[in-house]
Amino acid sequence: MSESQRSQLVAHDRDAAATAADAATADGTADVVILGAGPAGLVLGNLLQAGGIDCVVLERADRAHVQSRARAGYLAANTVRILEENGLAAGLRRNGQPHAVCEFRTEDGRFRLDYGSLGPCGPHTVYPQQELVTDLLTHYLDAGGRLSFETEALAVLDADGARPSVAVRTADGRQGHWQGRYVAGCDGRHGAARRSLPAGVVRHRRDHGVSWLGLLAEAPPSLDAVGYAVHRRGFAGHMARTPEVTRYYVQVERGEPAGAWSEQRIWDELALRMHAADYGPLRGGRIVQQSVVDLESDVLEPLRHGSLFLVGDAASLISPSAAKGANLAVLEAEILARALVDDLAHGDPAGLDRYSARCLDHIWRAQEFSHWMIQLLHSPPGPVGGETLFHDALRRSRLELLRTSRTHQQWFAEGYVGV
Ligand code: RFL
């Protein structure tokens, strides 16, 4: 469990098909060794496989766990494009829902913003991350892709040399090495790739001082929009996932344990902060996941160290306030896949040389927008006083601009859906 995410699964129904995983393999070789079977690792694996590149994915968890981890849901148009262009969008086309409207609720009233029709990027597609991961996994394995579940990367060795390797340990205790020409660190913020970086890597880091209780409710969405409620008791958010499941967020005190809130208290507080008395009741249901997320961001620089490349959350952690993390992960995986194919199949290393700079450009734009969203939705932590009041007045003014100015609305639409 991460230091910043005190997570408690209250009652997690694993509806994902828990089919038998391939036997874990402790030793082997592949041109590209991919660490982690999240969105980044699986998009990369699929694209390399399609490009005829020899690769393997090493995943610490078992298949059932990977397919049932509910996290993101709002996919940007660019993510959908990448999936479509690579034949990975069948499930998303079948079950994904277009989503184009935000509703902001404050003590001054509410307003809706049809961002999908305003910016150059169109609407989001709502498709739960665990379903996307299941699709990517199935496609990869059906195409003959190599993947070793329950195989934890311990360290990346000799990343500066011509033959880097990954030290691994399987769930049954065997240890060994996977050797490759390149290693793609797609193993998230606490993975082996980050731990193996040489001294001198810069980690830009920001703790926003704000925590959310993230909830998954077996309840139909209560409004046909993303709901952002700005309230003196703290932020509350509403995001549809499927016609039967909705994600909610409630801002909580830093350090609050995830299990401290009863279901009744959660629904009461959500109703209060979302002004349900004025705008209609929330549709209740069983809370099936309850975890605390401390809003933190970081960016590692550079994203390449010899033969090791950082991708997705391993490269940059972004707070979930603007729904960017999975979208960045998919974009970076596409950029790296193209560069690896150019290098390994055509002997052209230029894309690999540019990988870090290209991705950092996208990452910082996303970080900037996400940071702006955090300031729009929360008061700074600390006692209510001059500085808080000043921030609150700025926030009111920003919301008013967003309500009234088409220029601001267009800027928002581009930042919200663009990656
Ligand atoms: P993942 O998904 O964390 O996958 C990493 C994989 O690596 C494995 N692993 C290892 N394998 C081998 N050896 C090791 N040593 C390993 N260590 C870890 C893990 O088991 C896992 O399978 O990273 P990836 O692929 O970079 O994808 C990133 C996204 O998952 C993440 O950014 C998003 O979920 C963020 N996010 C959202 N992003 C969006 O674009 N739109 C959203 O609507 C959205 N909502 C969210 C979110 C994140 C949230 N949380 C939990 C912080 C909502 C929430 C609540």
mmCIF file of all heavy atoms in Angstrom, residues 369-400:
data_model
loop_
_atom_site.group_PDB
_atom_site.id
_atom_site.type_symbol
_atom_site.label_atom_id
_atom_site.label_comp_id
_atom_site.label_asym_id
_atom_site.label_seq_id
_atom_site.Cartn_x
_atom_site.Cartn_y
_atom_site.Cartn_z
ATOM 1 N N PHE A 369 -2.667 22.363 -16.064
ATOM 2 C CA PHE A 369 -4.128 22.426 -16.026
ATOM 3 C C PHE A 369 -4.661 21.770 -14.746
ATOM 4 O O PHE A 369 -5.565 22.295 -14.086
ATOM 5 C CB PHE A 369 -4.734 21.735 -17.257
ATOM 6 C CG PHE A 369 -6.222 21.886 -17.306
ATOM 7 C CD1 PHE A 369 -6.790 23.086 -17.715
ATOM 8 C CD2 PHE A 369 -7.053 20.862 -16.894
ATOM 9 C CE1 PHE A 369 -8.172 23.250 -17.721
ATOM 10 C CE2 PHE A 369 -8.431 21.012 -16.894
ATOM 11 C CZ PHE A 369 -8.998 22.221 -17.314
ATOM 12 N N SER A 370 -4.071 20.658 -14.395
ATOM 13 C CA SER A 370 -4.519 19.944 -13.204
ATOM 14 C C SER A 370 -4.305 20.806 -11.953
ATOM 15 O O SER A 370 -5.142 20.848 -11.039
ATOM 16 C CB SER A 370 -3.719 18.636 -13.118
ATOM 17 O OG SER A 370 -4.045 17.945 -11.981
ATOM 18 N N HIS A 371 -3.181 21.512 -11.914
ATOM 19 C CA HIS A 371 -2.880 22.403 -10.792
ATOM 20 C C HIS A 371 -3.906 23.531 -10.711
ATOM 21 O O HIS A 371 -4.404 23.889 -9.648
ATOM 22 C CB HIS A 371 -1.462 22.955 -10.987
ATOM 23 C CG HIS A 371 -0.955 23.714 -9.819
ATOM 24 N ND1 HIS A 371 -0.730 25.065 -9.846
ATOM 25 C CD2 HIS A 371 -0.654 23.316 -8.574
ATOM 26 C CE1 HIS A 371 -0.308 25.466 -8.670
ATOM 27 N NE2 HIS A 371 -0.253 24.435 -7.875
ATOM 28 N N TRP A 372 -4.253 24.071 -11.871
ATOM 29 C CA TRP A 372 -5.276 25.128 -11.938
ATOM 30 C C TRP A 372 -6.614 24.599 -11.406
ATOM 31 O O TRP A 372 -7.309 25.282 -10.660
ATOM 32 C CB TRP A 372 -5.405 25.598 -13.397
ATOM 33 C CG TRP A 372 -6.437 26.654 -13.621
ATOM 34 C CD1 TRP A 372 -6.263 28.003 -13.537
ATOM 35 C CD2 TRP A 372 -7.815 26.425 -13.980
ATOM 36 N NE1 TRP A 372 -7.447 28.643 -13.818
ATOM 37 C CE2 TRP A 372 -8.414 27.702 -14.088
ATOM 38 C CE3 TRP A 372 -8.587 25.307 -14.213
ATOM 39 C CZ2 TRP A 372 -9.756 27.870 -14.418
ATOM 40 C CZ3 TRP A 372 -9.923 25.464 -14.544
ATOM 41 C CH2 TRP A 372 -10.496 26.725 -14.644
ATOM 42 N N MET A 373 -6.956 23.370 -11.783
ATOM 43 C CA MET A 373 -8.219 22.768 -11.314
ATOM 44 C C MET A 373 -8.220 22.626 -9.788
ATOM 45 O O MET A 373 -9.226 22.878 -9.136
ATOM 46 C CB MET A 373 -8.415 21.368 -11.925
ATOM 47 C CG MET A 373 -8.903 21.352 -13.333
ATOM 48 S SD MET A 373 -10.651 21.773 -13.498
ATOM 49 C CE MET A 373 -11.454 20.244 -13.052
ATOM 50 N N ILE A 374 -7.091 22.202 -9.249
ATOM 51 C CA ILE A 374 -7.020 22.023 -7.786
ATOM 52 C C ILE A 374 -7.289 23.362 -7.095
ATOM 53 O O ILE A 374 -8.022 23.445 -6.120
ATOM 54 C CB ILE A 374 -5.643 21.455 -7.382
ATOM 55 C CG1 ILE A 374 -5.560 20.000 -7.839
ATOM 56 C CG2 ILE A 374 -5.419 21.546 -5.871
ATOM 57 C CD1 ILE A 374 -4.187 19.402 -7.734
ATOM 58 N N GLN A 375 -6.704 24.418 -7.628
ATOM 59 C CA GLN A 375 -6.910 25.734 -7.019
ATOM 60 C C GLN A 375 -8.339 26.233 -7.204
ATOM 61 O O GLN A 375 -8.858 26.966 -6.378
ATOM 62 C CB GLN A 375 -5.927 26.724 -7.609
ATOM 63 C CG GLN A 375 -4.512 26.377 -7.190
ATOM 64 C CD GLN A 375 -3.550 27.472 -7.534
ATOM 65 O OE1 GLN A 375 -3.575 27.993 -8.656
ATOM 66 N NE2 GLN A 375 -2.695 27.822 -6.601
ATOM 67 N N LEU A 376 -8.966 25.787 -8.288
ATOM 68 C CA LEU A 376 -10.352 26.196 -8.538
ATOM 69 C C LEU A 376 -11.306 25.509 -7.561
ATOM 70 O O LEU A 376 -12.329 26.090 -7.166
ATOM 71 C CB LEU A 376 -10.746 25.821 -9.970
ATOM 72 C CG LEU A 376 -12.131 26.278 -10.422
ATOM 73 C CD1 LEU A 376 -12.076 27.758 -10.795
ATOM 74 C CD2 LEU A 376 -12.601 25.473 -11.637
ATOM 75 N N LEU A 377 -10.966 24.295 -7.168
ATOM 76 C CA LEU A 377 -11.921 23.461 -6.434
ATOM 77 C C LEU A 377 -11.715 23.439 -4.919
ATOM 78 O O LEU A 377 -12.590 22.969 -4.197
ATOM 79 C CB LEU A 377 -11.866 22.014 -6.954
ATOM 80 C CG LEU A 377 -12.166 21.816 -8.442
ATOM 81 C CD1 LEU A 377 -11.949 20.362 -8.848
ATOM 82 C CD2 LEU A 377 -13.597 22.241 -8.777
ATOM 83 N N HIS A 378 -10.564 23.911 -4.434
ATOM 84 C CA HIS A 378 -10.286 23.791 -2.996
ATOM 85 C C HIS A 378 -9.783 25.098 -2.411
ATOM 86 O O HIS A 378 -9.124 25.875 -3.092
ATOM 87 C CB HIS A 378 -9.179 22.762 -2.724
ATOM 88 C CG HIS A 378 -9.420 21.440 -3.366
ATOM 89 N ND1 HIS A 378 -8.968 21.136 -4.623
ATOM 90 C CD2 HIS A 378 -10.075 20.350 -2.928
ATOM 91 C CE1 HIS A 378 -9.324 19.904 -4.929
ATOM 92 N NE2 HIS A 378 -10.011 19.402 -3.925
ATOM 93 N N SER A 379 -10.024 25.225 -1.108
ATOM 94 C CA SER A 379 -9.341 26.280 -0.356
ATOM 95 C C SER A 379 -7.991 25.734 0.066
ATOM 96 O O SER A 379 -7.849 24.526 0.254
ATOM 97 C CB SER A 379 -10.117 26.618 0.912
ATOM 98 O OG SER A 379 -11.337 27.194 0.560
ATOM 99 N N PRO A 380 -6.990 26.597 0.227
ATOM 100 C CA PRO A 380 -5.709 26.084 0.706
ATOM 101 C C PRO A 380 -5.879 25.543 2.127
ATOM 102 O O PRO A 380 -6.725 26.042 2.881
ATOM 103 C CB PRO A 380 -4.796 27.316 0.687
ATOM 104 C CG PRO A 380 -5.678 28.492 0.595
ATOM 105 C CD PRO A 380 -6.982 28.043 0.014
ATOM 106 N N PRO A 381 -5.096 24.496 2.489
ATOM 107 C CA PRO A 381 -5.227 23.957 3.841
ATOM 108 C C PRO A 381 -4.770 24.981 4.874
ATOM 109 O O PRO A 381 -4.035 25.896 4.557
ATOM 110 C CB PRO A 381 -4.296 22.740 3.822
ATOM 111 C CG PRO A 381 -3.372 22.945 2.679
ATOM 112 C CD PRO A 381 -4.069 23.817 1.692
ATOM 113 N N GLY A 382 -5.245 24.840 6.090
ATOM 114 C CA GLY A 382 -4.827 25.755 7.161
ATOM 115 C C GLY A 382 -6.010 26.522 7.695
ATOM 116 O O GLY A 382 -7.134 26.390 7.197
ATOM 117 N N PRO A 383 -5.757 27.327 8.740
ATOM 118 C CA PRO A 383 -6.865 28.034 9.387
ATOM 119 C C PRO A 383 -7.512 29.069 8.460
ATOM 120 O O PRO A 383 -6.842 29.653 7.609
ATOM 121 C CB PRO A 383 -6.194 28.733 10.586
ATOM 122 C CG PRO A 383 -4.740 28.731 10.262
ATOM 123 C CD PRO A 383 -4.459 27.602 9.335
ATOM 124 N N VAL A 384 -8.816 29.266 8.645
ATOM 125 C CA VAL A 384 -9.525 30.257 7.828
ATOM 126 C C VAL A 384 -9.076 31.645 8.287
ATOM 127 O O VAL A 384 -9.147 31.978 9.452
ATOM 128 C CB VAL A 384 -11.053 30.109 7.994
ATOM 129 C CG1 VAL A 384 -11.787 31.185 7.219
ATOM 130 C CG2 VAL A 384 -11.492 28.726 7.550
ATOM 131 N N GLY A 385 -8.560 32.429 7.356
ATOM 132 C CA GLY A 385 -8.076 33.762 7.714
ATOM 133 C C GLY A 385 -7.880 34.560 6.455
ATOM 134 O O GLY A 385 -8.462 34.234 5.416
ATOM 135 N N GLY A 386 -7.013 35.574 6.542
ATOM 136 C CA GLY A 386 -6.813 36.489 5.426
ATOM 137 C C GLY A 386 -6.470 35.783 4.132
ATOM 138 O O GLY A 386 -7.061 36.040 3.095
ATOM 139 N N GLU A 387 -5.492 34.829 4.214
ATOM 140 C CA GLU A 387 -5.034 34.210 2.965
ATOM 141 C C GLU A 387 -6.114 33.314 2.356
ATOM 142 O O GLU A 387 -6.304 33.286 1.140
ATOM 143 C CB GLU A 387 -3.774 33.393 3.239
ATOM 144 C CG GLU A 387 -2.890 33.320 2.014
ATOM 145 C CD GLU A 387 -1.610 32.560 2.281
ATOM 146 O OE1 GLU A 387 -0.889 32.948 3.226
ATOM 147 O OE2 GLU A 387 -1.372 31.589 1.568
ATOM 148 N N THR A 388 -6.831 32.596 3.241
ATOM 149 C CA THR A 388 -7.899 31.727 2.735
ATOM 150 C C THR A 388 -8.992 32.567 2.093
ATOM 151 O O THR A 388 -9.531 32.214 1.038
ATOM 152 C CB THR A 388 -8.513 30.910 3.894
ATOM 153 O OG1 THR A 388 -7.481 30.495 4.754
ATOM 154 C CG2 THR A 388 -9.286 29.726 3.396
ATOM 155 N N LEU A 389 -9.314 33.652 2.734
ATOM 156 C CA LEU A 389 -10.390 34.500 2.202
ATOM 157 C C LEU A 389 -9.992 35.078 0.845
ATOM 158 O O LEU A 389 -10.798 35.161 -0.079
ATOM 159 C CB LEU A 389 -10.714 35.630 3.190
ATOM 160 C CG LEU A 389 -11.303 35.142 4.522
ATOM 161 C CD1 LEU A 389 -11.499 36.308 5.481
ATOM 162 C CD2 LEU A 389 -12.622 34.402 4.305
ATOM 163 N N PHE A 390 -8.712 35.467 0.745
ATOM 164 C CA PHE A 390 -8.212 36.002 -0.519
ATOM 165 C C PHE A 390 -8.325 34.928 -1.618
ATOM 166 O O PHE A 390 -8.821 35.182 -2.708
ATOM 167 C CB PHE A 390 -6.745 36.432 -0.348
ATOM 168 C CG PHE A 390 -6.162 37.103 -1.551
ATOM 169 C CD1 PHE A 390 -6.398 38.449 -1.800
ATOM 170 C CD2 PHE A 390 -5.365 36.403 -2.457
ATOM 171 C CE1 PHE A 390 -5.864 39.080 -2.914
ATOM 172 C CE2 PHE A 390 -4.827 37.017 -3.572
ATOM 173 C CZ PHE A 390 -5.074 38.361 -3.796
ATOM 174 N N HIS A 391 -7.877 33.704 -1.271
ATOM 175 C CA HIS A 391 -7.941 32.605 -2.239
ATOM 176 C C HIS A 391 -9.394 32.337 -2.642
ATOM 177 O O HIS A 391 -9.696 32.127 -3.820
ATOM 178 C CB HIS A 391 -7.314 31.341 -1.630
ATOM 179 C CG HIS A 391 -7.349 30.162 -2.551
ATOM 180 N ND1 HIS A 391 -6.293 29.817 -3.357
ATOM 181 C CD2 HIS A 391 -8.330 29.264 -2.822
ATOM 182 C CE1 HIS A 391 -6.618 28.757 -4.073
ATOM 183 N NE2 HIS A 391 -7.847 28.393 -3.764
ATOM 184 N N ASP A 392 -10.292 32.347 -1.655
ATOM 185 C CA ASP A 392 -11.704 32.072 -1.942
ATOM 186 C C ASP A 392 -12.296 33.126 -2.877
ATOM 187 O O ASP A 392 -13.109 32.820 -3.754
ATOM 188 C CB ASP A 392 -12.511 31.999 -0.651
ATOM 189 C CG ASP A 392 -12.266 30.670 0.067
ATOM 190 O OD1 ASP A 392 -11.663 29.773 -0.546
ATOM 191 O OD2 ASP A 392 -12.665 30.552 1.235
ATOM 192 N N ALA A 393 -11.880 34.376 -2.685
ATOM 193 C CA ALA A 393 -12.388 35.442 -3.558
ATOM 194 C C ALA A 393 -11.862 35.253 -4.981
ATOM 195 O O ALA A 393 -12.586 35.441 -5.962
ATOM 196 C CB ALA A 393 -11.980 36.807 -3.002
ATOM 197 N N LEU A 394 -10.585 34.850 -5.085
ATOM 198 C CA LEU A 394 -10.019 34.576 -6.424
ATOM 199 C C LEU A 394 -10.776 33.436 -7.095
ATOM 200 O O LEU A 394 -11.083 33.473 -8.286
ATOM 201 C CB LEU A 394 -8.551 34.162 -6.307
ATOM 202 C CG LEU A 394 -7.517 35.234 -6.035
ATOM 203 C CD1 LEU A 394 -6.123 34.602 -6.055
ATOM 204 C CD2 LEU A 394 -7.579 36.337 -7.083
ATOM 205 N N ARG A 395 -11.078 32.423 -6.293
ATOM 206 C CA ARG A 395 -11.757 31.249 -6.822
ATOM 207 C C ARG A 395 -13.151 31.616 -7.345
ATOM 208 O O ARG A 395 -13.573 31.182 -8.401
ATOM 209 C CB ARG A 395 -11.856 30.226 -5.682
ATOM 210 C CG ARG A 395 -12.271 28.876 -6.118
ATOM 211 C CD ARG A 395 -12.158 27.910 -4.975
ATOM 212 N NE ARG A 395 -13.033 28.279 -3.870
ATOM 213 C CZ ARG A 395 -13.228 27.501 -2.811
ATOM 214 N NH1 ARG A 395 -12.578 26.373 -2.708
ATOM 215 N NH2 ARG A 395 -14.044 27.863 -1.850
ATOM 216 N N ARG A 396 -13.824 32.452 -6.568
ATOM 217 C CA ARG A 396 -15.160 32.928 -6.997
ATOM 218 C C ARG A 396 -15.056 33.656 -8.339
ATOM 219 O O ARG A 396 -15.877 33.476 -9.239
ATOM 220 C CB ARG A 396 -15.672 33.923 -5.961
ATOM 221 C CG ARG A 396 -16.814 33.445 -5.137
ATOM 222 C CD ARG A 396 -17.321 34.648 -4.321
ATOM 223 N NE ARG A 396 -18.676 34.443 -3.912
ATOM 224 C CZ ARG A 396 -19.012 33.988 -2.709
ATOM 225 N NH1 ARG A 396 -18.088 33.677 -1.822
ATOM 226 N NH2 ARG A 396 -20.285 33.846 -2.390
ATOM 227 N N SER A 397 -14.034 34.487 -8.421
ATOM 228 C CA SER A 397 -13.849 35.268 -9.638
ATOM 229 C C SER A 397 -13.549 34.349 -10.831
ATOM 230 O O SER A 397 -14.056 34.549 -11.940
ATOM 231 C CB SER A 397 -12.720 36.268 -9.405
ATOM 232 O OG SER A 397 -12.402 36.913 -10.590
ATOM 233 N N ARG A 398 -12.716 33.327 -10.596
ATOM 234 C CA ARG A 398 -12.413 32.368 -11.663
ATOM 235 C C ARG A 398 -13.662 31.634 -12.124
ATOM 236 O O ARG A 398 -13.876 31.440 -13.325
ATOM 237 C CB ARG A 398 -11.426 31.328 -11.153
ATOM 238 C CG ARG A 398 -10.020 31.791 -11.174
ATOM 239 C CD ARG A 398 -9.104 30.630 -10.885
ATOM 240 N NE ARG A 398 -7.754 31.153 -10.718
ATOM 241 C CZ ARG A 398 -6.870 30.664 -9.884
ATOM 242 N NH1 ARG A 398 -7.154 29.636 -9.128
ATOM 243 N NH2 ARG A 398 -5.662 31.197 -9.799
ATOM 244 N N LEU A 399 -14.482 31.214 -11.170
ATOM 245 C CA LEU A 399 -15.717 30.500 -11.518
ATOM 246 C C LEU A 399 -16.653 31.411 -12.305
ATOM 247 O O LEU A 399 -17.314 30.993 -13.251
ATOM 248 C CB LEU A 399 -16.400 29.989 -10.253
ATOM 249 C CG LEU A 399 -15.792 28.712 -9.666
ATOM 250 C CD1 LEU A 399 -16.202 28.511 -8.215
ATOM 251 C CD2 LEU A 399 -16.190 27.496 -10.498
ATOM 252 N N GLU A 400 -16.679 32.678 -11.909
ATOM 253 C CA GLU A 400 -17.549 33.628 -12.596
ATOM 254 C C GLU A 400 -17.074 33.838 -14.041
ATOM 255 O O GLU A 400 -17.885 33.900 -14.975
ATOM 256 C CB GLU A 400 -17.563 34.954 -11.804
ATOM 257 C CG GLU A 400 -18.591 35.977 -12.245
ATOM 258 C CD GLU A 400 -20.037 35.454 -12.235
ATOM 259 O OE1 GLU A 400 -20.293 34.367 -11.682
ATOM 260 O OE2 GLU A 400 -20.901 36.136 -12.819
#
